[in-house]
Amino acid sequence: MKRWISLLLAVCMLFTLVACGPKDDKQDQPDDSNNDQQQSESAGTYKFGGIGPLTGEAAIYGNAVKNGATIAVEEINALGGVQINLDFEDDVADGETSVNAYNTLVDWGMQCLVGTVTTGACIAVSAETYKDRVFTLTPSASSVDVIDGKDNMFQVCFTDPNQGTGSATYMAANMPEAKIAVIYRNDDAYSQGIRDTFVAKAAEEELNIVYEGTFTADTATDFSVQLNAAQAAEADLIFLPIYYQPASVILKQANDMGYKPTFFGVDGMDGILGMTGFDTTLAEGVMLLTPFSADAEDDLTKSFVEKYQAAYGEVPNQFAADAYDAVYILYNALEKAGCNPDMSAEEICEKLIEVMPTLTYTGLTGTDMTWASTGEVSKMPTAVVIKDGVYVTA
Amino acid sequence: MNKLNNMKKSTKVDFATYLGVIIAFIVITVLMNNGTLGRKQVGLLVPACCYVVMAVSLNLTVGILGELSLGHAGFMSVGAFSGVIAAMSLAEAIPFEPLRLAIAMVAGAVCAGIAGVIVGVPVLRLRGDYLAIVTLAFGEIIKDLINCLIVGHDSEGLHIIFNFKGLKTVDDLGLLPGGNVIIKGAQGATGTDTIASFTAGVVLILITLFVVLNLIHSRTGRAVMAIRDNRIAAESVGINITKYKLIAFVTSATLAGAAGALYGLNYSSLQATKFNFNTSILVLVFVVLGGLGNIWGSIVAAIVLYVLPEALRSVADLRMLVYAIVLILVMLATNSPKMKAVLSRVIPRKKGDEVNE
């Protein structure tokens, strides 16, 4: 009998959860959905979809993108005029789930896609958006494969080759004598992609790479072998084209070993200061290439950081800024192309493809950003150093 | 009608399983054509078919043979990448997509079968849980091997290099102009033509059912189950243990390879990390919850548990929690003696029909 009661209780619990779920959702964003519907009769409402990892190991990026995009959407909606309705779906940074999320959004009636956040998933989704003619602007999927051969794909972030060559160029200009070690994750498209272009450019610039160490998703918890080898090779600059979680382990272990080289990261390193349980003093002196610095002095950055902190209680990272820009870029492009919310996704897509190469946009992550018709963005990366827990332009 | 009544219970269940799959296929196709199904539902069809085949084939190893395999995703991975290589390199030679898909699935099946033989021959001679240990390692090794694999295709044929030291890139393939890279090491297979179709998935399920069910009811299947139930007794009546174990295990691996090829050709980007330990366990969960040795149970469990997380998208943040609760409930419900009593009252059973108890 007890078993039946427990089963019954569990079923009750399940139903309560299912029943409560959507309500919770609405409580999160009470304004946009209701307001949109009221105002949609006058100026119309665009349906923007978003896809990114809201759960799982890359969740910090997905949530940052979601939050950044939400702020931009709220600002635009507050202007009156044309409204935007944003639906952001979770994909756990997995291609299969991402395509499922994309299909869900298509059913919802999405007109433009802001996403997806991670590279591997984005490649899978971009093939679908290309087939369906849905205009897609990814805030952060940086691989060339994302945009390769797909005229509807545009990026806000740098491509991987740009990050690799950018890092090598920066090192050649500022620390040409350094003995460089590279530690990268060789089962990850992002990490391997940057490493390949970095090494190619480094050879061209005659940089001295003394050691290359690899790891995989399964071995990302211990780096003593790679760090010891780098130390034995007398490396004084360690290039880490990896995400911030393994990087935090590397920083911790290097510190424990008493090994103090300069660490140099790329945009995946961004977010390390916001990581829970990480001692940020370990990140002192870490350099990274990023298009966005939260302590920049311009008004746009200041207001964005302020709003972000008020709403989500943390300092926004580069992904949030990319997403904020992405929504505004779409907004500007839609306006310039003379689109209206009643148009279908295909019509909007064709118009935006024409407009994008002519667009110039100044936002959080760059001034006078322009796009090639291939989808690649042109903007300048800046190198920052972490000092006293904040980014300072190097 | 008389003939139907005289049929064995198990044969009836088998026919019901085939019939169920075919009816489901017809219903879904009709719904798809008149536009009732949304993009979301249609998008779930092919991967659901793949997972059904995975679950049924793993059931052959775990339920019928009684050996624990923790690396089923490894065979799927071998099948997926060999299938992608086959499909992409034949893109010009065979423009007809269904035929190319069929060839890719056969290629995936053959490669996974070979991998199954390599794993099975030494390990299946042993007693105990060695298969679980070795298949677990196999899944990880395959993942690392594919991360080292760089494959391209041009007019001269296939170019394959193994990038063991991590120092080679796509440029080392030396492709002629017009050639395309199929697998880029850790970046996986990108730019794959997505030629997989639901029809192919259903055909694969039917083939899998045909192979597995016929195997189970054949002389070979009885030998395999005898080994599962009592190895010593089976050996004493002259059954070649290793041979029959190997037959079941390699069949299972082969079918997983075909499912992998179908899966690989459904997405334009595929990384080896997709087929990790978690995927193996996911398939094992389908099998365990569907019932060990229960083929139609595997099919139902695979479909329900695959579709469930997607169906729960509307509850957003809570969906993984709900998913977990459903798993626990299914476990409790299917294992409770009361539930079994209720079920046996609803579905009267003849004595000695149960395969899985």
Side-chain angles (χ1 to χ4, degrees), chain B residues 15-347:
Chain B
F15 273 112
T17 313
Y18 287 118
L19 204 65
V21 172
I22 293 169
I23 291 174
F25 172 64
I26 294 170
V27 170
I28 291 174
T29 313
V30 169
L31 287 179
M32 223 157 56
N33 289 341
N34 69 14
T36 317
L37 288 185
R39 275 293 300 257
K40 179 180 167 185
Q41 285 82 10
V42 174
L44 292 175
L45 293 175
V46 175
C49 288
C50 296
Y51 285 115
V52 165
V53 175
M54 288 294 289
V56 170
S57 61
L58 184 63
N59 208 339
L60 186 60
T61 305
V62 180
I64 307 298
L65 176 60
E67 292 273 357
L68 187 57
S69 166
L70 297 176
H72 212 49
F75 295 112
M76 191 182 185
S77 181
V78 172
F81 284 97
S82 40
V84 167
I85 294 173
M88 291 300 286
S89 50
L90 292 173
E92 280 167 19
I94 308 171
F96 183 57
E97 286 183 357
L99 178 63
R100 190 142 54 95
L101 180 62
I103 292 175
M105 291 200 306
V106 170
V110 169
C111 292
I114 293 170
V117 172
I118 294 171
V119 173
V121 167
V123 180
L124 292 171
R125 290 169 187 277
L126 303 170
R127 294 168 196 226
D129 288 333
Y130 292 100
L131 189 70
I133 300 166
V134 172
T135 47
L136 175 63
F138 168 74
E140 298 302 308
I141 292 169
I142 284 298
K143 207 170 73 183
D144 281 342
L145 276 182
I146 290 175
N147 277 332
C148 298
L149 190 63
I150 301 177
V151 180
H153 176 260
D154 62 15
S155 50
E156 284 184 348
L158 275 179
H159 297 246
I160 301 175
I161 48 175
F162 274 101
N163 176 23
F164 284 123
K165 287 189 173 161
L167 302 176
K168 286 181 179 157
T169 62
V170 173
D171 303 328
D172 296 314
L173 278 176
L175 287 180
L176 297 173
N180 58 343
V181 185
I182 301 172
I183 299 178
K184 300 180 186 174
Q187 299 173 49
T190 53
T192 313
D193 295 338
T194 51
I195 55 174
S197 68
F198 177 51
T199 314
V202 172
V203 170
L204 183 61
I205 292 180
L206 289 175
I207 293 173
T208 306
L209 283 176
F210 182 76
V211 170
V212 172
L213 291 175
N214 276 309
L215 182 69
I216 292 174
H217 299 313
S218 69
R219 188 190 169 90
T220 313
R222 286 191 295 275
V224 169
M225 283 183 278
I227 296 169
R228 174 192 68 187
D229 294 339
N230 193 325
R231 183 192 164 107
I232 296 171
E235 211 164 9
S236 74
V237 293
I239 292 174
N240 183 344
I241 305 271
T242 313
K243 178 181 147 194
Y244 285 106
K245 275 185 169 181
L246 201 63
I247 289 175
F249 184 70
V250 172
T251 309
S252 162
T254 307
L255 292 170
L262 183 68
Y263 183 91
L265 290 167
N266 192 41
Y267 296 101
S268 128
S269 140
L270 184 71
Q271 280 85 37
T273 41
K274 172 70 200 168
F275 304 107
N276 57 10
F277 183 57
N278 292 337
T279 309
S280 296
I281 293 297
L282 183 74
V283 178
L284 193 60
V285 167
F286 297 158
V287 173
V288 172
L289 289 187
L292 291 179
N294 183 344
I295 301 298
W296 66 265
S298 294
I299 299 179
V300 174
I303 294 173
V304 170
L305 294 178
Y306 179 66
V307 171
L308 192 66
E310 291 304 323
L312 288 172
R313 268 193 187 280
S314 52
V315 273
D317 296 346
L318 294 172
R319 70 192 184 113
M320 291 328 278
L321 188 63
V322 175
Y323 181 70
I325 292 173
V326 169
L327 283 189
I328 295 169
L329 285 183
V330 173
M331 285 284 243
L332 284 176
T334 52
N335 283 323
S336 100
K338 285 246 171 64
M339 200 69 177
K340 279 185 180 159
V342 171
L343 272 182
S344 63
R345 245 177 284 150
V346 178
I347 314 163

Side-chain angles (χ1 to χ4, degrees), chain A residues 105-305:
Chain A
L105 289 169
V106 171
D107 284 343
W108 173 67
M110 167 177 67
Q111 288 162 305
C112 298
L113 178 63
V114 180
T116 69
V117 174
T118 49
T119 295
C122 194
I123 298 170
V125 170
S126 63
E128 301 291 319
T129 65
Y130 177 67
K131 254 192 269 168
D132 297 338
R133 310 309 294 161
V134 175
F135 186 82
T136 309
L137 181 66
T138 169
S140 53
S142 47
S143 165
V144 182
D145 288 325
V146 169
I147 50 171
D148 190 28
K150 294 159 208 147
D151 58 356
N152 66 323
M153 291 294 307
F154 287 82
Q155 290 170 319
V156 181
C157 58
F158 301 112
T159 56
D160 290 341
N162 273 344
Q163 298 204 42
T165 48
S167 304
T169 315
Y170 182 85
M171 287 178 197
N174 296 291
M175 32 193 136
E177 300 301 315
K179 289 181 177 171
I180 304 167
V182 184
I183 300 178
Y184 67 100
R185 187 178 141 188
N186 65 351
D187 63 350
D188 179 38
Y190 167 79
S191 191
Q192 178 86 42
I194 298 178
R195 176 261 164 204
D196 288 351
T197 50
F198 174 78
V199 170
K201 185 71 180 175
E204 210 175 285
E205 298 276 1
E206 295 178 349
L207 288 172
N208 183 12
I209 298 180
V210 292
Y211 170 73
E212 281 195 67
T214 62
F215 67 97
T216 64
D218 302 320
T219 56
T221 47
D222 181 29
F223 294 93
S224 42
V225 175
Q226 292 91 327
L227 284 169
N228 277 316
Q231 194 172 24
E234 295 178 342
D236 52 12
L237 177 67
I238 298 190
F239 181 54
L240 301 174
I242 53 179
Y243 285 133
Y244 67 91
Q245 299 97 329
S248 69
V249 181
I250 291 179
L251 292 175
K252 170 87 173 58
Q253 286 190 332
N255 187 57
D256 292 349
M257 285 164 58
Y259 177 38
K260 294 199 187 317
T262 307
F263 290 97
F264 196 102
V266 286
D267 66 356
M269 183 73 89
D270 192 37
I272 195 161
L273 295 175
M275 192 177 170
T276 41
F278 177 69
D279 180 5
T280 49
T281 54
L282 292 175
E284 279 304 292
V286 170
M287 301 186 76
L288 62 149
L289 276 192
T290 168
F292 172 73
S293 153
D295 59 4
E297 288 298 312
D298 57 306
D299 293 339
L300 191 64
T301 310
K302 271 184 179 168
S303 109
F304 173 68
V305 172

